[in-house]
Amino acid sequence: MTAVQGGRTPKVLHVSPEAVPFSKVGGLGDVAGSLPAALRDSGTDCRLLTPAWEGVLDRARELGFSLSRLSRKAEAVIRWKIHRGTVWKCSGEGLVAYLLEEPSLFGKTVYPRELTPDSVTPFLFLSLAALDLPSATLWKPDIIHCHDWGTAPLPAALKWHIHFGSSGDVCKTVFTIHNLAHQGLLSLESLGDWGIRNEAARVEGMEYFGMANLMKGALVSCDAITTVSPGYAEEILTEEGGEGLGGLLKSLSGKVSGILNGLDDRYWDPRTDPLLPERYSPDNLSGKTACKKKLLERAGWKDDGRPLLVSVGRMVEQKGFSILLPALEELVGMNCRLFLVGSGQTEYEEAADSAAARFPGSVFVFRGYDEPLAHLAYAGGDFFLMPSRFEPCGLSQLISLRYGTVPIVRAAGGLRDTVFELGTPGGNGFLFSGYTPEDLLEAVARAMEVFRDKDSMQLLSLRGMNADFSWNRSAPLYKKLYESLLL
Ligand code: GLC
């Protein structure tokens, strides 16, 4: 353990709108729950603050976490109203978390459809209450680590808030971009609602095409920016991948770094996964064959030796559905079977359903998300398809590798940091570059050649299973970053 600041290891508070096992909307939830636990494992006093959305306290109790209510509440003033949140200290599963309960703000759904002065209030409260948290917990972090736009008001408040911005607080901030496509836009006038000084409304501050951009405010004011893969860290500095903030990020590149997400390998492990009908390991893959059989049964199919391509994820443009769906007919023509799990944009859902209706023996769509079925799909597929238009990191390809299901992915962001073309060093899957159905089909054609050769296919699948994509690789990089901020 490296000691800094007079012999102490850094005290770090992670703040996230979602975190497993309490809440999860997407990959951010997985990372915000598993990273603080991994950092604690490696000796950092790392804790988490996340809202007690409806049902979260009950879930924590059911999971056997120990919960105690702190006597003092965390407070923040937003639009002339004092909001007070009850702070629950919650420990278990290697995690120390503070669950912030304020039922009038943290209700059923995590993210609003549209950002308005009302719908943004839970996120402003989470961010400002984090700064008031030490008065309730008597534990003062050296570093606050924020995740995505929902916690972007926090670093901004340390710079421009009428109270926190002049309190002489020396707390450092890290801001992690999980997805630059969601930035949090509000009217400039609304900045005053949460105590932000006028100077923040300038172009050097949060101003963005006449609006206030929360993400921009955090980027400008935090001490370090990280994103979830080295590949995405390069892409966001460009006009093409910067989602309108590429120029700004380039000018801030001295404080930008990419650290690959880790997989919670205790949860995602085909040797022990309780949601699989049969478990398996690199030494004995027979359970994987059984999983394929079960997955085929879910579609009403029998194993006829054809390759099974699976996809698990939101049916949205980011995930590449605008090139996957037009390729379905040809994929069927190439003798592939496809099992898709997910829901999302209506046009993609409808196109997927109509392909399933046209090719009932080859395309199956499960609309929605079902955790046991997702596990079965990761385990039962021969190949995992992820043709993302952009992908900050992507966790699905890491899960599929661990489950021996060979990934076929577009070379974007974190996908190109984790999947390597067969025949190149570390080759564990198939990649394509152009964002077109033709490029995708070419990669699948290469995969089909390997599928025909049972031994090569097995070797490829084992290579994925034996690789380490856990936090063991990445947690030390965060630790190093924290230590460098406190020097
Ligand atoms: C977002 C990104 C995904 C990433 C996840 C966790 O959901 O789209 O690529 O893996 O955040 O960082």
Side-chain angles (χ1 to χ4, degrees):
M1 203 184 297
T2 322
V4 291
Q5 277 216 335
R8 286 192 294 114
T9 50
K11 290 190 276 181
V12 185
L13 179 70
H14 281 248
V15 186
S16 173
E18 47 174 305
V20 293
F22 311 113
S23 57
K24 171 175 161 165
V25 179
L28 167 59
D30 291 300
V31 172
S34 58
L35 174 59
L39 284 162
R40 278 189 86 76
D41 264 0
S42 66
T44 307
D45 183 2
C46 194
R47 306 184 187 190
L48 165 73
L49 174 70
T50 193
W53 301 101
E54 200 178 299
V56 162
L57 292 171
D58 289 340
R59 193 165 317 133
R61 283 191 196 98
E62 275 164 28
L63 290 169
F65 279 82
S66 83
L67 280 174
S68 60
R69 189 172 57 201
L70 304 188
S71 54
R72 199 189 169 284
K73 297 192 175 200
E75 300 180 353
V77 179
I78 299 161
R79 294 159 94 194
W80 304 281
K81 183 173 180 300
I82 302 186
H83 291 274
R84 295 192 173 86
T86 303
V87 182
W88 293 84
K89 187 171 181 191
C90 172
S91 338
E93 297 186 9
L95 201 64
V96 173
Y98 298 109
L99 302 177
L100 186 62
E101 185 192 22
E102 213 295 41
S104 76
L105 294 179
F106 302 130
K108 262 199 181 65
T109 42
V110 176
Y111 299 110
R113 273 183 186 280
E114 207 192 318
L115 218 51
T116 63
D118 268 338
S119 69
V120 78
T121 306
F123 304 94
L124 299 176
F125 180 61
L126 173 64
S127 303
L128 297 179
L131 295 173
D132 187 42
L133 195 69
S135 48
T137 59
L138 305 178
W139 177 83
K140 193 173 175 319
D142 305 305
I143 294 169
I144 302 186
H145 188 150
C146 301
H147 297 272
D148 263 357
W149 72 267
T151 57
L154 193 156
L158 279 174
K159 190 172 170 81
W160 294 298
H161 191 272
I162 42 172
H163 166 60
F164 297 113
S166 52
S167 65
D169 204 319
V170 290
C171 182
K172 301 278 183 176
T173 50
V174 175
F175 184 77
T176 294
I177 302 169
H178 293 260
N179 193 336
L180 195 55
H182 306 290
Q183 300 177 0
L185 295 182
L186 293 169
S187 72
L188 280 171
E189 296 72 55
S190 65
L191 290 179
D193 292 357
W194 46 293
I196 292 298
R197 289 196 300 264
N198 281 344
E199 62 174 283
R202 295 200 293 242
V203 68
E204 307 78 40
M206 299 166 81
E207 194 277 338
Y208 182 80
F209 296 104
M211 302 285 284
N213 182 324
L214 295 177
M215 181 84 100
K216 181 181 174 197
L219 299 177
V220 170
S221 54
C222 69
D223 296 292
I225 301 168
T226 71
T227 188
V228 291
S229 69
Y232 195 55
E234 268 172 31
E235 290 167 14
I236 59 174
L237 305 186
T238 64
E239 179 117 350
E240 208 191 348
E243 304 277 353
L245 293 176
L248 173 74
L249 279 159
K250 191 149 201 254
S251 73
L252 299 172
S253 62
K255 63 173 182 180
V256 179
S257 60
I259 302 180
L260 196 64
N261 279 338
L263 189 66
D264 181 350
D265 58 352
R266 286 167 299 188
Y267 182 70
W268 293 108
D269 186 353
R271 279 165 264 237
T272 52
D273 190 336
L275 296 177
L276 295 184
E278 269 190 47
R279 281 161 277 283
Y280 57 94
S281 70
D283 303 326
N284 183 355
L285 288 172
S286 61
K288 184 162 171 63
T289 314
C291 289
K292 178 171 180 184
K293 192 161 169 257
K294 267 271 167 342
L295 185 62
L296 290 169
E297 274 169 21
R298 283 295 293 264
W301 299 335
K302 284 211 167 57
D303 196 356
D304 58 5
R306 277 193 277 165
L308 181 59
L309 278 55
V310 297
S311 148
V312 179
R314 286 171 297 129
M315 292 187 177
V316 292
E317 168 70 15
Q318 179 196 337
K319 298 291 172 186
F321 276 80
S322 62
I323 63 167
L324 175 57
L325 294 167
L328 281 183
E329 185 165 352
E330 288 214 36
L331 287 171
V332 171
M334 288 161 76
N335 228 6
C336 297
R337 272 175 155 168
L338 291 113
F339 195 115
L340 315 181
V341 182
S343 59
Q345 286 165 240
T346 316
E347 50 178 313
Y348 299 141
E349 291 182 349
E350 284 173 3
D353 284 349
S354 92
R358 279 177 63 206
F359 308 110
S362 303
V363 179
F364 183 82
V365 179
F366 178 88
R367 284 256 299 268
Y369 188 77
D370 174 281
E371 190 75 7
L373 180 61
H375 285 237
L376 185 63
Y378 284 119
D382 296 303
F383 296 96
F384 191 86
L385 276 179
M386 205 160 164
S388 303
R389 188 170 72 76
F390 69 95
E391 197 59 73
C393 177
L395 292 170
S396 295
Q397 83 280 15
L398 302 182
I399 303 171
S400 77
L401 284 165
R402 186 145 171 82
Y403 281 60
T405 301
V406 176
I408 303 174
V409 306
R410 178 153 178 273
L415 292 171
R416 62 188 166 97
D417 291 324
T418 50
V419 180
F420 310 101
E421 178 75 23
L422 179 66
T424 67
N428 57 6
F430 300 90
L431 288 146
F432 61 97
S433 302
Y435 188 68
T436 67
E438 292 73 33
D439 289 85
L440 164 63
L441 288 164
E442 269 176 37
V444 174
R446 293 197 301 277
M448 290 310 106
E449 260 175 53
V450 177
F451 182 77
R452 283 189 275 277
D453 174 357
K454 282 250 158 339
D455 291 342
S456 312
M457 184 66 196
Q458 201 182 72
L459 277 178
L460 187 54
S461 155
L462 287 176
R463 192 168 295 162
M465 290 186 84
N466 287 321
D468 181 8
F469 285 110
S470 71
W471 283 113
N472 295 340
R473 289 172 25 146
S474 303
L477 301 177
Y478 279 109
K479 213 173 152 192
K480 237 186 172 160
L481 173 70
Y482 299 150
E483 288 171 355
S484 73
L485 290 179
L486 296 180
L487 283 179

